[in-house]
Amino acid sequence: MKALYHLLLYVSFWSCCQAAQADLVVIANPQSGIEKLSKDEVINLYMGRNRKLATGVNAMPLDLAAVNAEKARFYAMLVNKNLPEINSYWARLMFSGQGSPPLQVETTDEVLDIVGSNKAAIGYIERKKLDKRVKLIYDPTQ
Amino acid sequence: MLRLLRTSIVYRSAFIVLGIALLVGIFFALLSYHFSAKSEQEQARQRTQASLSTVENTASIACFVLDQNLAAELARGLIKNGDISRVQIISDGKVLAEADKQSTQKSEPSALTMLPSIDASSQLVHEVYSPFNSKEKVCEIHLDPNLDFIREQSTSKARFIMYLLLLQALAMASAVVYVVLNMITKPIKNISDRLHTLAPESGDKLCLPDGNEKDEIGQLVRDVNTLVASLLETLNEERTLRIKHAIGEKKFQTIFENAETGIFQLNFAGELLSYNPAFLRMFSLDASSGSTKIANALTSLLEGQELRLHLMIDMAINEARVMSDDFYIQLAASTHKKWVNLVISPAEDGILQGLVNDITERKSQEESAKQLAVTDHLTGINNRLGFEKEISRLSKEHANGNASGFFLLMIDLDKFKQVNDSHGHIVGDQVLVHFSQLVSNTVRKSDFVARLGGDEFITLLKDLTSLEKAEEIAQKIITLVSEPISINDKLSVQIGASIGISYTGPTEFIADNLLRQADAAMYEVKRSGRNAYRVVHLDAYQNHQDAGIA
């Protein structure tokens, strides 16, 4: 019975989030020199493990402020954690004084602006907001 | 200390209980040390594990981003756990962070290494995985257990248990001491003190100690009382018996002392062992004279008769019979003989009991009766019976061959009948008395004189072999008898004597022949004119003389 309940929960969750995640993609500047990133590479960049891109420049991952619904969806998709967990994670690293969380911006539009103008910047947006200023480098659906 | 252990039940039992309690305590202390050390180690492991799981998230983050600060912070956190002596966080073979306990006190292994099974090589390695990928190992945490701490912990626990056990042992020992002292030793001490001063003869008894009336000590006291009472009773009986015995003894002693009969004990050799005063009186012995003299008094007094005494003793012992015999003794003090009757009966162990009675009076009565029988009432010399006894005695002596020859003189008075007829019997009797005195005075004392009857006399000249001597005596008698005998102032008579003499040598002889020959010789004298003597039957004398010459 319990097993069945778990299964149902999982199936419903997966179908919902699949749909939710499906519309978030990771983008970079078209001149960044990056074609594609694996999920692990995205995680490493966003969770502060890697600070440099494959091209050797310091990466500048962009995060949304907590008010954006996309943020929670992004981290759920990426590392399967909720925002308090992510906050707690960064809190520890900040305490040690070594790590710092990604730069936070207010809106998806700002993300598009910065990525479009900065070769080192990467960010996540809803798929439908993709435009020519940016380049898709990680699509979770693929 | 040893003396106390030997003499004091309290000390001994306390010592033993304490010893046992200590041994058991030490055993259980060691056992508990062993187990508590193990469990302490296990607990230390669990505590370490718990610490690790607390920091696991942070560790995983620190390792994920290789954050040395965070890792070092974490290591410092871990090292605060007392069970851990060293923390290393190693990522990809590189040490990310490290922390060491500045162990101020080095372990003192002397007391502790002997303690068991603290696994010194039990370094704990914990693998830490990425927070985002549970399959990706990001680092390892190496933990060294703080052995000293664990040891100290378990030792202190074990020590605590040990102290408890020792305390328990002490408490038990003192409880035992208290119990033994109050329930056993004190009552026993009281009893023994009472016993020391107990005067059972005045009816004293041990009193039952309070609280012990029904137990073994009470039983002991009752038994002692019973024992004392029965001993006392026995003692009194014994005493009464002894008094009775003493009275009886005294009676016998009185009898022994005052008896007129001599009572004595003698041994096989005839030596006196004990005697009563009557015995001493009887033998005129002085109690103060030397004991050896008295011991040998019997044999020395019976000198010459000791053979009979020894025969009596032998028979009394060998045949277990009461022997009795008469002995005569010549006492030094008085000149007269004493006759005693000795009765000897065997007692035990070769000792004989004897009784001695003075029978001198009886003996002398007997003797005088005998004497009377052989005495002529008128003249006081032997009568015919006396002569017959004498001659048969001599005949026996000669037959046995231990004798010498003798002369027999047969004397017949001449003219006695006329005296008797003319002057009466009284004068005749006087003449007979006169004549017998005359003859007795003429012959030697050892010679024998008898009146056979009427005016017939006989004389035996003993141990004489000389005919001349015999004839001389015969002649002397004839001469003396022919002298006038003055009866009173007015009357004087004269008589004569005819004597026949016969002789026998030391050989055997026939008494009748001797008499007959002498008689015949005497009648020859009478026929040939009286008042003379004749020696007849000289063949025997001649033969003897010849034999003597040859």
Side-chain angles (χ1 to χ4, degrees):
Chain A
M1 189 61 206
K2 209 167 184 178
L4 188 65
Y5 171 78
H6 272 283
L7 188 68
L8 276 173
L9 197 70
Y10 179 75
V11 166
S12 62
F13 181 78
W14 185 80
S15 53
C16 124
C17 296
Q18 198 67 8
Q21 288 164 1
D23 53 1
L24 280 178
V25 292
V26 179
I27 51 168
N29 190 287
Q31 274 88 51
S32 63
I34 301 165
E35 288 304 316
K36 280 286 183 230
L37 287 178
S38 68
K39 188 179 180 180
D40 279 349
E41 284 171 321
V42 176
I43 290 171
N44 287 348
L45 284 172
Y46 265 91
M47 299 318 287
R49 197 183 196 181
N50 275 358
R51 305 219 170 258
K52 290 194 164 121
L53 290 174
T55 51
V57 295
N58 275 330
M60 189 179 80
L62 295 177
D63 202 356
L64 288 171
V67 292
N68 290 292
E70 291 94 337
K71 181 169 181 174
R73 278 192 301 164
F74 175 73
Y75 283 107
M77 178 271 291
L78 194 66
V79 292
N80 194 21
K81 291 195 188 301
N82 56 28
L83 285 181
E85 284 174 325
I86 298 298
N87 285 340
S88 154
Y89 175 84
W90 281 116
R92 294 185 213 196
L93 286 178
M94 280 176 359
F95 172 78
S96 87
Q98 287 232 326
S100 51
L103 182 67
Q104 287 196 355
V105 293
E106 291 304 313
T107 63
T108 310
D109 293 339
E110 276 183 74
V111 172
L112 282 171
D113 286 345
I114 294 169
V115 171
S117 60
N118 192 331
K119 284 181 198 171
I122 56 171
Y124 56 88
I125 54 164
E126 288 184 33
R127 186 187 300 272
K128 59 189 179 199
K129 292 204 174 162
L130 275 171
D131 59 17
K132 287 183 183 144
R133 290 178 294 175
V134 296
K135 174 180 167 185
L136 190 151
I137 54 168
Y138 172 65
D139 186 354
T141 56
Q142 281 175 1
Chain B
M1 181 66 191
L2 271 176
R3 201 183 62 79
L4 266 179
L5 280 183
R6 269 203 304 277
T7 54
S8 164
I9 294 176
V10 174
Y11 277 101
R12 194 160 56 231
S13 47
F15 184 78
I16 290 169
V17 167
L18 200 63
I20 290 172
L22 275 177
L23 279 179
V24 171
I26 288 168
F27 175 74
F28 279 108
L30 285 175
L31 211 65
S32 78
Y33 183 93
H34 181 80
F35 283 114
S36 72
K38 273 203 158 169
S39 81
E40 191 60 26
Q41 213 176 339
E42 187 52 41
Q43 279 179 17
R45 181 171 280 119
Q46 280 171 10
R47 285 198 297 272
T48 312
Q49 207 71 51
S51 303
L52 270 177
S53 54
T54 323
V55 298
E56 181 146 29
N57 270 342
T58 315
S60 126
I61 293 166
C63 290
F64 182 73
V65 297
L66 297 176
D67 185 336
Q68 287 185 348
N69 282 354
L70 193 57
E73 186 63 29
L74 189 142
R76 277 198 297 278
L78 276 179
I79 206 77
K80 276 179 188 150
N81 185 327
D83 300 320
I84 299 163
S85 68
R86 188 158 173 269
V87 181
Q88 265 187 321
I89 300 171
I90 295 169
S91 176
D92 282 342
K94 284 193 297 183
V95 177
L96 190 64
E98 197 171 11
D100 230 331
K101 189 161 277 170
Q102 292 308 310
S103 167
T104 46
Q105 86 250 41
K106 266 283 141 206
S107 61
E108 318 105 54
S110 59
L112 302 167
T113 40
M114 60 170 269
L115 298 165
S117 70
I118 287 179
D119 193 357
S121 66
S122 69
Q123 197 186 44
L124 200 70
V125 178
H126 187 78
E127 294 181 340
V128 179
Y129 295 91
S130 154
F132 310 113
N133 186 352
S134 58
K135 289 190 185 67
E136 187 192 350
K137 192 175 96 177
V138 285
C139 65
E140 286 173 348
I141 302 177
H142 290 243
L143 294 176
D144 287 347
N146 186 353
L147 292 177
D148 291 346
F149 180 76
I150 294 170
R151 273 185 188 130
E152 203 184 293
Q153 287 276 309
S154 49
T155 306
S156 71
K157 267 192 186 176
R159 201 177 289 147
F160 178 68
I161 291 170
M162 202 161 78
Y163 287 153
L164 270 184
L165 287 171
L166 289 182
L167 210 65
Q168 188 198 6
L170 276 173
M172 264 173 65
S174 19
V176 166
V177 168
Y178 179 79
V179 167
V180 167
L181 193 68
N182 275 295
M183 302 194 66
I184 300 170
T185 316
K186 261 190 189 164
I188 288 178
K189 178 100 174 83
N190 284 341
I191 292 170
S192 100
D193 286 350
R194 283 279 297 158
L195 268 178
H196 258 299
T197 57
L198 195 69
E201 288 178 41
S202 56
D204 250 8
K205 283 195 166 188
L206 290 180
C207 28
L208 284 172
D210 285 340
N212 293 109
E213 289 88 351
K214 287 187 175 144
D215 62 12
E216 291 87 341
I217 288 173
Q219 186 64 39
L220 180 74
V221 168
R222 276 195 293 277
D223 284 352
V224 167
N225 279 338
T226 316
L227 191 69
V228 165
S230 75
L231 275 178
L232 207 62
E233 201 176 316
T234 317
L235 209 67
N236 283 332
E237 274 173 23
E238 178 91 25
R239 194 173 293 154
T240 320
L241 277 177
R242 211 183 306 138
I243 291 169
K244 271 189 195 165
H245 183 73
I247 291 171
E249 191 111 291
K250 186 88 183 162
K251 270 188 209 161
F252 280 113
Q253 187 68 28
T254 315
I255 293 171
F256 183 73
E257 299 282 342
N258 299 336
E260 277 311 309
T261 303
I263 302 170
F264 59 93
Q265 283 188 310
L266 73 168
N267 63 10
F268 186 75
E271 288 170 352
L272 283 169
L273 303 173
S274 66
Y275 40 82
N276 67 348
F279 181 86
L280 294 177
R281 281 200 301 277
M282 201 166 291
F283 293 106
S284 302
L285 290 167
D286 192 358
S288 59
S289 58
S291 58
T292 48
K293 195 185 162 195
I294 290 182
N296 295 318
L298 207 55
T299 42
S300 65
L301 281 166
L302 299 180
E303 206 174 351
Q305 307 166 86
E306 62 261 55
L307 193 64
R308 278 200 295 144
L309 177 67
H310 286 301
L311 270 172
M312 274 176 81
I313 292 173
D314 277 354
M315 284 184 76
I317 288 177
N318 294 333
E319 299 176 20
R321 245 172 50 184
V322 178
M323 303 298 297
S324 169
D325 205 351
D326 296 345
F327 294 88
Y328 71 86
I329 46 174
Q330 187 74 48
L331 291 178
S334 57
T335 48
H336 74 282
K337 270 188 191 170
K338 208 171 197 179
W339 280 93
V340 290
N341 174 250
L342 216 59
V343 178
I344 289 176
S345 57
E348 64 277 0
D349 300 335
I351 289 174
L352 299 121
Q353 290 173 340
L355 299 173
V356 57
N357 281 302
D358 192 339
I359 54 162
T360 311
E361 207 172 317
R362 202 186 81 204
K363 258 307 200 220
S364 66
Q365 276 169 6
E366 268 176 29
E367 248 169 47
S368 64
K370 262 190 212 163
Q371 197 62 45
L372 215 59
V374 297
T375 304
D376 180 53
H377 297 299
L378 181 64
T379 59
I381 60 173
N382 285 284
N383 60 11
R384 179 177 286 274
L385 185 62
F387 169 72
E388 276 166 7
K389 279 194 171 174
E390 181 66 12
I391 199 75
S392 75
R393 192 182 67 80
L394 285 168
S395 144
K396 265 183 209 160
E397 266 187 26
H398 280 250
N400 291 340
N402 52 354
S404 45
F406 65 90
F407 289 88
L408 189 150
L409 276 65
M410 181 70 90
I411 308 168
D412 194 81
L413 296 184
D414 298 333
K415 295 184 286 185
F416 176 70
K417 203 164 165 42
Q418 289 94 310
V419 171
N420 221 9
D421 288 347
S422 51
H423 301 291
H425 285 291
I426 295 170
V427 174
D429 286 351
Q430 280 180 336
V431 169
L432 287 174
V433 170
H434 171 80
F435 178 73
S436 59
Q437 280 172 356
L438 183 153
V439 174
S440 295
N441 290 339
T442 306
V443 301
R444 296 165 298 172
K445 251 217 155 55
S446 59
D447 293 336
F448 182 83
V449 181
R451 177 180 169 230
L452 296 183
D455 56 353
E456 240 181 20
F457 291 83
I458 237 173
T459 297
L460 300 176
L461 304 175
K462 293 182 200 167
D463 300 331
L464 194 64
T465 49
S466 157
L467 181 60
E468 287 81 18
K469 191 81 187 166
E471 284 183 57
E472 190 185 309
I473 291 171
Q475 188 54 56
K476 197 172 179 187
I477 291 172
I478 289 164
T479 313
L480 286 171
V481 86
S482 54
E483 284 173 9
I485 306 158
S486 65
I487 303 301
N488 51 40
D489 297 343
K490 299 165 199 162
L491 182 61
S492 171
V493 296
Q494 195 176 14
I495 54 166
S498 300
I499 300 175
I501 301 172
S502 68
Y503 172 77
T504 180
T507 53
E508 246 179 293
F509 66 92
I510 298 164
D512 282 353
N513 288 353
L514 271 183
L515 268 176
R516 215 174 37 246
Q517 288 160 2
D519 212 35
M522 189 266 286
Y523 274 103
E524 245 177 276
V525 173
K526 286 233 177 217
R527 273 196 300 273
S528 62
R530 303 190 178 193
N531 219 18
Y533 67 89
R534 179 161 296 191
V535 180
V536 293
H537 189 29
L538 286 177
D539 301 349
Y541 176 70
Q542 216 60 53
N543 288 347
H544 176 60
Q545 293 297 48
D546 292 348
I549 292 156

